[in-house]
Amino acid sequence: MKASEYKNYKGLRKESLRDNMSDIEVALTDLGEIATRELAKKHKPYGLKENKRVAKAGGEVAKTARDNLEHKLGETIISSNNNLNYQYLEENKKLESKNRS
């Protein structure tokens, strides 16, 4: 998923996506980022096309780890729940009346 799709999946608006991930979700994100960085160091990509290829390869490392863990657990590890449990107030009046009480 793209970051914007993932935020929508978790029901977030302006909050940090990473702050609302489970420990496993953060670890897999970090794994993908670190794998991409190490692949870039080794292969020294030049230009957008090569950098995209390296980024895709780094993401595949994290996807493989995720698929393997989900297979062993027998369930998905990606959750629509957010860890901070925000509650949105659609109307300013609700917020104002709550503060006056």
Side-chain angles (χ1 to χ4, degrees):
M1 271 187 252
K2 292 181 182 178
S4 59
E5 294 169 334
Y6 204 18
K7 283 183 85 165
N8 287 337
Y9 179 71
K10 286 190 166 285
L12 303 174
R13 293 182 183 173
K14 295 181 180 180
E15 302 79 25
S16 166
L17 178 58
R18 193 175 288 258
D19 287 347
N20 287 282
M21 290 180 171
S22 69
D23 292 342
I24 293 174
E25 291 170 317
V26 171
L28 289 172
T29 300
D30 288 345
L31 176 61
E33 291 171 355
I34 292 166
T36 300
R37 184 178 66 228
E38 294 303 314
L39 289 166
K41 284 180 190 177
K42 180 167 180 68
H43 298 290
K44 298 182 182 2
Y46 179 78
L48 183 60
K49 187 175 180 180
E50 289 182 26
N51 275 285
K52 280 184 175 182
R53 182 181 50 78
V54 168
K56 185 167 179 68
E60 288 172 357
V61 170
K63 183 178 182 339
T64 300
R66 174 188 169 192
D67 291 344
N68 191 351
L69 180 56
E70 286 180 340
H71 176 74
K72 291 182 186 292
L73 289 173
E75 62 187 34
T76 183
I77 57 173
I78 304 302
S79 169
S80 62
N81 297 332
N82 62 55
N83 285 353
L84 299 180
N85 294 322
Y86 288 101
Q87 291 183 338
Y88 294 108
L89 300 176
E90 297 300 327
E91 301 172 13
N92 287 337
K93 291 181 181 181
K94 288 182 183 178
L95 182 59
E96 290 173 5
S97 65
K98 188 175 181 179
N99 287 337
R100 289 181 188 166
S101 300

